[in-house]
Amino acid sequence: MRIAYLDCFAGISGDMFLGALVDAGVPLQILQDATTSLGLGASLKVETVDRSGISCTKVHVYEGDSLAEGESGSGVTEQAQRDVAYSQQIKTQHLHKVGHDHTHEGHSHEELPTHVHGRSLSAIRSLILATPLSEAIKQTSIKTFELLGHSEAKIHNVSVDEIHFHEVGAVDAIVDIVAASAGIHHLQIGKWYSSPLNVGGGMVVCAHGTFPVPAPATADLLRGFPTYSAHVQKELVTPTGAALIRALDPVFGQQPAMTVEHIGYGAGTRNPKDFPNVLRLSIGESSDLAIPNLPSTLIEEREHAGKRSESVSVLETALDDLSPQVLAYVAETALAKGALDVMLTPVIMKKGRPGTLLTILCNESDRLAMEHLILSETSTLGVRTRQDRRTTLDRSHVSVATEYGEIRVKVGSLAGEELNAAPEFEDCRAAALKFAVPVKQVQQAAIAAYRR
């Protein structure tokens, strides 16, 4: 299988990813055509630069004859521009999200841009859908922007429809994401892998105060991914970079056994002393079969890594004296606090009493919070916990147009092969209520639209 490995020892941003793609052999014309198709008057310019003695590729986004905002070295972080837009637009009951990327350093509020005209997420989606690009490239681009938009909405506690992307910065962000999506699909990678992500360190100045790195939206996008902070006190993972790697959904860990054919180095904007600010991309073929006498257990482990495998905490307690109303409340609260899943199973307990087995699945980082929830909100005197492995398909969302409006379809795939597709029930329920039709009718329409 053709695989790719991202070595994120210096983090990841949109321009670093584009540079790594070009340096690894993706024809610049592929990215240029994707940029031109947007009709934004943008173009890409490439140069070879040095980062701590490493020759690498730097990609610049131009609007006409000028660099897209922020590429000129203003030093304003992507998160800071977003938050300034938010602060200014709250005064007029509009929220705007600012989209500059890659600078890896924050400045004071006075240095931030003051213009806040922007595009909504739906406008950006329509812009991408109107291009002649392949459906696969469109869907990857839209998925990445939706991930970015949902994180921004969560951070600012507003609906995703209220999120707007800064007029100039959005050109930079749109080009980064759409061109990167074109490069991703050109490579035809069966599975992506990645090292843990170095997020950098220090503090970043935003409109609402000074935050530790990673910035709030970045931290939300990296939820559940292995991260660390080392070497430099700068922001190394930007929201756009985090959204791209979230969209790729790679398997994290050391580089898998592979026969490397191409290596690309993508440069970040800054050039700190004695620290190569680059993203390394290795592309090749999975080489398990080329390893002599490879133990069968290792082969199974490698094959298993082709799926999304992770460790989860399982908490259980059996209850025979608790109100169903409280049980439902506990289940809802657990999900709201980040539980991966909650199950209520009828059981027969000692003395023949009917009861309920409460089971909560969560990340290890949330285990103590879930234990406290169970012990404080239920009548139990104890909680059983264990660590399980779970394997899941790669998940993505595709929005389809139906006579009842747009419906999201959740797609499950393995190594690029689609295995499951199901409409999001909440979207179907909302549409069914709006049009006064059976919910199954909306589900059928969504599936039919997706199959088309």
Side-chain angles (χ1 to χ4, degrees):
M1 180 172 65
R2 189 168 178 79
I3 61 176
Y5 184 74
L6 289 166
D7 205 340
C8 302
F9 59 87
I12 183 172
S13 63
D15 61 339
M16 293 169 76
F17 192 80
L18 290 181
L21 289 172
V22 173
D23 207 52
V26 174
L28 177 60
Q29 196 61 46
I30 296 290
L31 310 187
Q32 200 73 268
D33 289 345
T35 301
T36 302
S37 73
L38 293 165
L40 298 173
S43 62
L44 303 177
K45 293 191 178 180
V46 174
E47 64 174 325
T48 300
V49 298
D50 181 284
R51 293 290 182 265
S52 297
I54 296 177
S55 177
C56 45
T57 298
K58 181 74 178 77
V59 175
H60 301 280
V61 178
Y62 275 73
E63 295 179 73
D65 296 326
S66 303
L67 276 170
E69 183 172 275
E71 289 287 14
S72 57
S74 65
V76 184
T77 66
E78 183 177 354
Q79 181 69 39
Q81 292 193 43
R82 283 182 171 81
D83 286 346
V84 155
Y86 167 73
S87 179
Q88 292 168 331
Q89 287 303 96
I90 278 295
K91 298 175 184 178
T92 56
Q93 302 302 307
H94 294 288
L95 177 68
H96 285 68
K97 182 195 79 97
V98 179
H100 169 57
D101 200 2
H102 334 311
T103 58
H104 294 181
E105 186 174 8
H107 279 208
S108 65
H109 299 173
E110 289 75 27
E111 295 177 284
L112 299 174
T114 57
H115 46 295
V116 294
H117 304 292
R119 293 181 178 88
S120 67
L121 182 58
S122 61
I124 291 175
R125 186 186 294 117
S126 298
L127 175 68
I128 295 171
L129 289 174
T131 68
L133 297 169
S134 72
E135 286 303 312
I137 295 173
K138 291 178 184 179
Q139 294 306 327
T140 299
S141 303
I142 291 170
K143 174 185 175 182
T144 306
F145 255 107
E146 287 177 342
L147 288 167
L148 199 53
H150 281 291
S151 286
E152 293 289 349
K154 185 187 300 182
I155 294 301
H156 293 303
N157 194 30
V158 298
S159 73
V160 71
D161 293 331
E162 293 180 75
I163 292 293
H164 284 64
F165 295 83
H166 182 266
E167 185 76 53
V168 178
V171 172
D172 187 28
I174 293 171
V175 169
D176 280 350
I177 289 171
V178 175
S181 299
I184 288 167
H185 287 283
H186 173 79
L187 290 174
Q188 296 184 328
I189 300 299
K191 188 64 185 176
W192 286 83
Y193 295 81
S194 176
S195 70
L197 300 154
N198 184 4
V199 298
M203 306 293 287
V204 56
V205 179
C206 300
H208 305 291
T210 302
F211 290 90
V213 168
T218 305
D220 184 71
L221 284 161
L222 298 180
R223 190 190 301 267
F225 285 177
T227 62
Y228 66 99
S229 174
H231 308 307
V232 295
Q233 295 297 295
K234 302 291 183 185
E235 180 186 43
L236 297 184
V237 178
T238 65
T240 299
L244 283 167
I245 202 160
R246 171 64 70 177
L248 288 175
D249 195 20
V251 173
F252 286 94
Q254 294 182 343
Q255 179 179 307
M258 63 186 295
T259 302
V260 176
E261 299 169 356
H262 305 283
I263 299 176
Y265 291 91
T269 298
R270 297 194 177 277
N271 188 17
K273 184 180 180 181
D274 299 327
F275 180 73
N277 186 25
V278 300
L279 172 68
R280 179 164 63 187
L281 170 62
S282 301
I283 301 169
E285 297 292 326
S286 176
S287 59
D288 286 339
L289 297 179
I291 302 176
N293 302 319
L294 188 68
S296 60
T297 53
L298 184 54
I299 293 176
E300 291 172 1
E301 181 181 324
R302 294 290 188 187
E303 290 175 346
H304 191 64
K307 312 175 186 68
R308 181 171 175 78
S309 180
E310 59 188 354
S311 177
V312 295
S313 295
V314 182
L315 297 83
E316 288 185 339
T317 188
L319 303 153
D320 62 2
D321 60 350
L322 191 64
S323 162
Q325 294 170 317
V326 176
L327 274 172
Y329 168 77
V330 171
E332 292 171 0
T333 303
L335 290 170
K337 289 180 176 292
L340 301 172
D341 204 354
V342 180
M343 291 160 283
L344 299 172
T345 310
V347 294
I348 301 298
M349 300 175 63
K350 61 185 180 182
K351 299 182 181 180
R353 296 171 181 168
T356 301
L357 178 65
L358 169 63
T359 305
I360 297 178
L361 271 66
C362 67
N363 293 314
E364 173 61 20
S365 58
D366 295 323
R367 178 177 57 82
L368 293 179
M370 295 302 161
E371 283 184 3
H372 183 266
L373 173 68
I374 294 173
L375 293 172
S376 62
E377 293 286 358
T378 75
S379 55
T380 189
L381 297 177
V383 180
R384 296 182 298 276
T385 64
R386 65 178 186 270
Q387 289 295 115
D388 281 359
R389 299 290 300 177
R390 76 166 186 168
T391 300
T392 61
L393 298 177
D394 294 326
R395 303 176 190 183
S396 61
H397 282 88
V398 176
S399 294
V400 297
T402 74
E403 58 191 293
Y404 308 109
E406 280 200 354
I407 303 293
R408 290 174 299 157
V409 176
K410 183 185 295 182
V411 180
S413 58
L414 174 61
E417 179 187 359
E418 180 185 313
L419 300 180
N420 291 311
E424 284 288 356
F425 181 76
E426 292 303 323
D427 289 5
C428 294
R429 179 170 66 173
L433 291 172
K434 180 178 179 180
F435 289 90
V437 297
V439 69
K440 66 180 181 181
Q441 190 169 319
V442 180
Q443 291 175 316
Q444 292 165 356
I447 285 294
Y450 176 75
R451 293 305 180 195
R452 287 196 298 269

